[in-house]
Amino acid sequence: MKGFSRRNFLVGAGALAAGGCATGGGAGVAEKPADGRLIISPPVLQNAAETSMGVGFAVSDMANGYVEYSESSDFSGARKVKCGGYRVTDMNDKIMLVRLTGLKPATKYYYRIGADRISYKGGYAMKIVGSEADPRVYSFTTLGAAAQSSFCVINDTHAQMKPFGMQIDKIADIRPACVVWNGDACNTQETIESLYPIFYTPEIERRDYAAEQPYMFLPGNHDNRGLAARHMERAMMFRQPEERLSRDWDLGRNFAVRCGDIAMVGLDTGEDKLDSRDVFAGLFNMEPYRVAQKAWLEYALELPEIKSAPHLVAFCHIPLYDPRPTANPGDCDKDGGGKYTHDFAAWQRTCKNLWGPLLEKAGCQIVITAHQHFYRYDAPSAEHKWAHMVGGGPELGEKVVNWKTGEKVKVPGKFPTVIEGRVEGGRLRIVAHDVFNKRIAGDYSYPARG
Ligand SMILES: [Fe+2]
Ligand SMILES: [Fe+2]
């Protein structure tokens, strides 16, 4: 992974330092760079697949961005792809999103980014008033059956830069084929600009964290809150349409990809409260979304590249299981008299009932979830044959507020995790790294599915 280092980042580092959020705090709003630089972030690889890759980068002014890529580091035979799709390019002053398609599976590509600055004063009054190119050459490798059998998972980063930086450093050590960002990247974001410090200009040492390491973003409940969430695809694009049936055109976050010997399936559990909750003013429509994903999952599990994979791992934000009888299952408005310890979903019984049996029938070895900010492992049981792992949250062992009493209490076992999956000797090994205490919190392995 040449170039994936804090030293090699050349684009706008000084300007970003002034414009980002404070380390350890919530996401602020990126400011326009004082030096007038157009490209204000490194590229962010997203939606890795066998034959496509997404590239995004932030800009400070109206622009028309592009990616040039080649199998050769000298860029011989390079192709240039502009942001947006057919017909018109996606000229905008925020984030350039470029889709590279028709790629070869499990193949290394070199790429670089650039953009034209556009003066737009009307339909007949537009011109290029400057061009900028990031001088760095980056690279990525597509997924597929011949790719490296490895992934990492982070979750519940909540725009907290200190734990996020620890996770990114760990991922830089592991260098997996791809990373699943398993929800709650945001808190409540109202503007696209407020997404910059979360996805594009994080105040961490490795600002180019996703320039050579592709991320698969799966939303959590917090990623549905605020006006920006209604247009999250303007910052982190939807998956390629050809990955799914036309029936499932709107399921742009679901993925079913082959990563070496591992089939990876991503599901979106949505909000953690019922659509009928008054606090949401009737603005959520998660119930049919969950049902639609059942039909998609049935289809995805039968795809030849998924069905033939020796290992199957599913990912979603809200847990699909909780052993505690007091944990709110998320499918009831009232708790019948204080049975549950809080009024939001600790786990998602609806999703478990919709998707769990399909995953079990397909021989899924483990479902990796998030949301509870507390690492936990649930072994397979008669009730669900898949194992279940919950990633930790952003808390660094400090005292946290007890939501019931308002009291600050020390909660042992609170630490952020990087969950690593890889295939060793034909077995799927899942290791949960506690990146705060620098230790392994859990280490499990599974035979190939039968
Ligand atoms: Fe969270
Ligand atoms: Fe959550």
Side-chain angles (χ1 to χ4, degrees):
M1 188 160 294
K2 195 174 71 177
F4 188 90
S5 80
R6 63 201 69 180
R7 288 181 303 279
N8 287 350
F9 177 61
L10 300 174
V11 181
L16 294 174
C21 63
T23 300
V29 175
E31 292 165 9
K32 303 271 184 193
D35 62 1
R37 196 181 298 264
L38 181 61
I39 299 174
I40 57 170
S41 83
V44 172
L45 295 174
Q46 46 200 284
N47 296 343
E50 280 198 39
T51 59
S52 67
M53 183 69 76
V55 184
F57 55 95
V59 291
S60 64
D61 201 353
M62 201 65 91
N64 185 15
Y66 64 85
V67 172
E68 283 181 308
Y69 71 96
S70 168
E71 282 184 63
S72 169
S73 60
D74 65 7
F75 281 78
S76 54
R79 286 190 60 203
K80 181 175 179 178
V81 182
K82 292 181 180 177
C83 62
Y86 292 134
R87 203 173 64 83
V88 293
T89 67
D90 183 25
M91 175 182 64
N92 74 74
D93 62 354
K94 295 179 176 60
I95 296 171
M96 304 283 98
L97 296 171
V98 182
R99 298 175 189 264
L100 307 181
T101 57
L103 307 177
K104 295 178 187 169
T107 300
K108 182 173 183 177
Y109 288 91
Y110 297 87
Y111 78 102
R112 55 194 176 206
I113 60 172
D116 291 334
R117 188 189 298 263
I118 306 290
S119 164
Y120 183 85
K121 294 190 173 140
Y124 291 95
M126 58 190 104
K127 58 183 175 183
I128 296 172
V129 290
S131 298
E132 208 172 277
D134 179 346
R136 265 183 71 180
V137 172
Y138 304 94
S139 67
F140 63 78
T141 302
T142 48
L143 301 183
Q148 183 189 322
S149 306
S150 68
F151 64 81
C152 282
V153 189
I154 59 171
N155 58 275
D156 293 280
T157 43
H158 284 285
Q160 297 294 311
M161 292 301 121
K162 196 170 174 188
F164 183 58
M166 293 174 181
Q167 290 168 309
I168 294 305
D169 286 349
K170 187 70 191 175
I171 289 166
D173 289 342
I174 297 170
R175 299 182 180 185
C178 62
V179 180
V180 176
W181 198 335
N182 206 6
D184 281 6
C186 303
N187 293 310
T188 301
Q189 310 310 135
E190 301 295 352
T191 64
I192 297 295
E193 288 90 338
S194 77
L195 297 171
Y196 289 9
I198 295 173
F199 296 109
Y200 286 91
T201 59
E203 279 292 307
I204 57 175
E205 286 193 272
R206 297 179 192 273
R207 294 167 189 276
D208 55 353
Y209 75 101
E212 301 204 329
Q213 178 69 72
Y215 278 67
M216 334 267 258
F217 175 60
L218 273 178
N221 49 306
H222 276 273
D223 304 308
N224 290 305
R225 295 176 187 168
L227 291 174
R230 309 188 91 76
H231 304 288
M232 185 66 86
E233 68 277 12
R234 293 181 190 170
M236 296 296 276
M237 65 180 92
F238 276 170
R239 304 271 320 175
Q240 278 296 95
E242 67 264 26
E243 293 181 17
R244 53 195 181 276
L245 298 174
S246 54
R247 176 196 67 190
D248 300 328
W249 69 274
D250 206 17
L251 302 181
R253 292 293 175 208
N254 292 104
F255 61 80
V257 293
R258 185 72 182 263
C259 184
D261 287 339
I262 306 170
M264 299 171 63
V265 172
L267 292 147
D268 183 356
T269 43
E271 248 302 339
D272 69 16
K273 298 176 183 62
L274 291 178
D275 292 343
S276 55
R277 275 294 296 270
D278 52 358
V279 69
F280 290 144
L283 290 166
F284 284 95
N285 204 23
M286 297 298 174
E287 281 307 303
Y289 183 41
R290 295 176 180 123
V291 173
Q293 289 180 77
K294 178 187 178 185
W296 170 83
L297 182 59
E298 278 178 313
Y299 160 79
L301 292 173
E302 291 297 319
L303 289 168
E305 68 272 24
I306 299 301
K307 200 165 185 176
S308 63
H311 306 282
L312 173 62
V313 181
F315 308 85
C316 60
H317 179 73
I318 301 179
L320 297 191
Y321 172 75
D322 199 301
R324 301 166 296 173
T326 54
N328 190 328
D331 55 4
C332 45
D333 236 340
K334 305 286 179 194
D335 70 4
K339 179 180 173 188
Y340 303 124
T341 51
H342 45 274
D343 74 342
F344 54 87
W347 65 291
Q348 245 298 332
R349 185 159 56 192
T350 301
C351 293
K352 190 253 181 181
N353 290 339
L354 286 167
W355 311 334
L358 294 172
L359 293 171
E360 184 164 312
K361 191 172 154 218
C364 174
Q365 287 119 318
I366 185 165
V367 179
I368 296 177
T369 67
H371 183 62
Q372 297 185 351
H373 295 205
F374 204 100
Y375 167 75
R376 191 181 78 236
Y377 179 75
D378 305 313
S381 68
E383 197 260 346
H384 54 90
K385 291 198 178 117
W386 26 262
H388 183 254
M389 183 176 278
V390 184
E395 293 84 5
L396 297 176
E398 70 268 34
K399 289 185 175 182
V400 297
V401 176
N402 180 322
W403 63 270
K404 267 180 116 174
T405 63
E407 178 194 2
K408 274 201 157 188
V409 292
K410 184 123 180 163
V411 182
K414 285 251 182 189
F415 49 81
T417 50
V418 170
I419 297 171
E420 177 188 8
R422 63 177 183 264
V423 175
E424 286 179 353
R427 291 178 71 87
L428 172 67
R429 187 170 172 204
I430 303 289
V431 179
H433 300 274
D434 166 357
V435 296
F436 176 53
N437 300 298
K438 299 193 187 311
R439 65 183 185 101
I440 288 175
D443 190 344
Y444 304 89
S445 83
Y446 311 88
R449 56 181 171 152

